[in-house]
Amino acid sequence: MNDTAASPAPPVNLNCESDAGFAQWMAESGGSLAISTYQAGRLFMVGWNGRQVSFLPRAFDRPMGLDVSADGRMALVTRNAVWLFADTPALAPNYLQPGRYDSLYLPRATYHMPDLSLHDIAFAGDTLWMVNTRLSCLATLSLVHTFEPRWRPPFIDDLVPEDRCHLNGLALRDGAPAYVTAISDSDTFDGWRGHRRDGGIVIDIGTREIVVSGLSMPHSPRWYRDRLWLHNSGTGEFGTVDVGSGKFQPVAFCPGYLRGLSFIGKYAVAGLSRPRENKTFTGLALDDQLASRRMDARCGLYVIDLDTGGIAHSLTIEGVVTELYDVVVLPGRLQPAAIGPTSPETKNYISVG
C-alpha cells in the first residue's frame, strides 16, 4: 500500500495491510475515505487507484473532527484552527500525476482560535457545528468572536475552560443537531476522568434530557437508517441505542479503542486505535475483552455489515500511526487528493465560479 511521497507532509513510517476484499469493496462502493490522526498529525486521503488502496498524507497540527457536506465542502478542526476546503474536481486530473485523481480539496478559509479541544464537527446546511470539549458546549463559527456558543448540557452551569464532562460526539438528525455524547454528567474541572468505565451518556439536544446512561467513554454518535449508532469505546463495541428505552445494543466487537464512524450503503466504517498506556485508557472493559479473546489492540478501520453485524473488511495501520480520531466517507470519489493550506502548491491552482 502506498504512502505517497509526492506530498508536502514529511514522510512517515507507515505500513498498511488490508484484507483481500477491501480494495474491491472501495471500488464497488463508489466512495473513498478521509482519516484524521491527531497522534501522528496527519490527514490521510484514502483512495483506490485501479490496482490497490493508496494513501495521500497531509500534515496538520493535531487534526481531529472531520466532515464533508453534500455540496463538496470539507471541514477539519486542528489544535488552533478550523480549516474549510472545497472540492474542485475539474482541477484534479492535472494534480501531481495526470489522470490519477478525481477529486481535489483546496483550502478556502481558516478560522483561527485558541486550543478549545474541538472534537466532532458536522455541517448542517451552511452552518458548521462544533463540539467544544474544553468549554463543554456546542458552538458555531463567528467572524467576530472566538466562537458562538449555541447549546450546553443541562448540568453544566457555566461556560468555563475546564473540560468538565468531556463532551465529544455530535449526531445530526434531519439536518439538525440532535444528540451528543459525553464521558459523564460531571460539572467540575476534569470531573469526567473518574467515570470512564460506566459514566458515559447520550443527551437529546432538543429536550436536554439524558436518554442513555451507563456507557463507557462513548464516541461518534451518528443517525443513519432511522437509528442512532455510536461507539461504546471503553468496551470496544460498536452498536445502536434505543433512545426510548435507554438501552445500548452491541452490534460488533472491534479490537481497539473506537473513534470515528461513517456510513455508505449497508456498511459502517469504524476507526480503531491502540489505547495509550495512561490513566485515561487503562482499566477499561476493553482490556478484559481483548484478554478474553486473546487479541491485541490494533489501529485501522473495520467495515461492518449493518445487516449481519459481521466484519466485512479490515484495514490495519502500523508504524508511527497508532491512533485515529475521525473517518468520513467521500461518496462519488474514488481517488481523492487535498492540498494543505500552507503548501506552496496552492498558488498553482485557481478555481473560478
Side-chain angles (χ1 to χ4, degrees):
M1 191 168 297
N2 294 335
D3 181 11
T4 305
S7 165
V12 294
N13 176 22
L14 185 68
N15 180 40
C16 302
E17 293 187 4
S18 62
D19 67 84
F22 186 88
Q24 187 63 27
W25 169 78
M26 285 196 67
E28 292 175 353
S29 70
S32 53
L33 303 169
I35 305 171
S36 65
T37 162
Y38 66 89
Q39 171 264 330
R42 294 292 186 277
L43 170 69
F44 290 110
M45 310 300 288
V46 185
W48 159 251
N49 65 11
R51 301 180 308 278
Q52 60 183 354
V53 177
S54 63
F55 272 54
L56 183 70
R58 290 294 179 254
F60 287 90
D61 182 18
R62 201 172 181 266
M64 294 188 67
L66 268 170
D67 196 31
V68 177
S69 69
D71 60 359
R73 292 170 293 160
M74 181 170 70
L76 172 70
V77 298
T78 60
R79 187 189 307 273
N80 296 118
V82 176
W83 304 98
L84 300 177
F85 299 79
D87 187 13
T88 54
L91 299 178
N94 296 319
Y95 182 61
L96 293 182
Q97 300 177 18
R100 176 170 183 174
Y101 296 103
D102 63 358
S103 174
L104 179 61
Y105 287 90
L106 296 177
R108 284 294 171 256
T110 307
Y111 287 78
H112 298 276
M113 56 188 62
D115 186 358
L116 301 176
S117 189
L118 298 178
H119 279 57
D120 279 10
I121 56 174
F123 282 107
D126 291 329
T127 302
L128 182 68
W129 287 81
M130 309 174 294
V131 178
N132 186 334
T133 303
R134 188 180 177 196
L135 281 91
S136 308
C137 70
L138 293 184
T140 54
L141 297 171
S142 172
L143 291 174
V144 178
H145 304 290
T146 303
F147 64 91
E148 186 72 30
R150 301 288 294 272
W151 180 92
R152 67 175 188 254
F155 49 81
I156 298 294
D157 66 5
D158 199 5
L159 289 176
V160 288
E162 295 182 348
D163 188 8
R164 294 182 172 185
C165 64
H166 206 69
L167 194 72
N168 58 45
L170 171 62
L172 302 186
R173 182 177 181 181
D174 298 327
Y179 302 100
V180 293
T181 50
I183 305 302
S184 78
D185 60 356
S186 52
D187 191 32
T188 58
F189 173 76
D190 258 4
W192 61 273
R193 294 186 182 276
H195 305 278
R196 297 172 301 115
R197 195 172 178 94
D198 58 5
I201 56 175
V202 176
I203 309 172
D204 184 311
I205 293 173
T207 65
R208 296 173 57 81
E209 295 180 350
I210 295 174
V211 292
V212 182
S213 59
L215 300 172
S216 180
M217 301 189 75
H219 282 81
S220 309
R222 306 286 187 262
W223 186 266
Y224 186 70
R225 285 187 167 185
D226 296 322
R227 303 177 75 181
L228 182 62
W229 308 82
L230 56 77
H231 294 321
N232 201 24
S233 305
T235 67
E237 294 169 322
F238 160 74
T240 184
V241 295
D242 184 334
V243 296
S245 65
K247 301 296 184 181
F248 171 74
Q249 179 62 47
V251 172
F253 173 76
C254 304
Y257 188 82
L258 288 162
R259 282 179 305 203
L261 179 61
S262 194
F263 298 89
I264 185 166
K266 69 169 188 172
Y267 297 102
V269 184
L272 288 72
S273 299
R274 289 202 290 271
R276 278 167 273 156
E277 294 182 0
N278 61 24
K279 291 183 179 179
T280 300
F281 293 93
T282 56
L284 300 172
L286 174 60
D287 298 336
D288 304 328
Q289 289 263 35
L290 290 170
S292 66
R293 297 167 186 262
R294 298 184 179 181
M295 301 179 72
D296 294 325
R298 66 180 64 177
C299 176
L301 302 176
Y302 265 16
V303 178
I304 304 168
D305 188 321
L306 298 178
D307 294 336
T308 66
I311 308 303
H313 303 289
S314 66
L315 173 73
T316 301
I317 303 175
E318 296 180 339
V320 298
V321 179
T322 60
E323 296 182 39
L324 307 180
Y325 181 75
D326 215 348
V327 55
V328 295
V329 170
L330 308 176
R333 302 293 185 230
L334 289 182
Q335 191 67 28
I339 294 179
T342 60
S343 170
E345 295 175 301
T346 56
K347 69 179 183 292
N348 298 323
Y349 294 90
I350 299 174
S351 175
V352 179

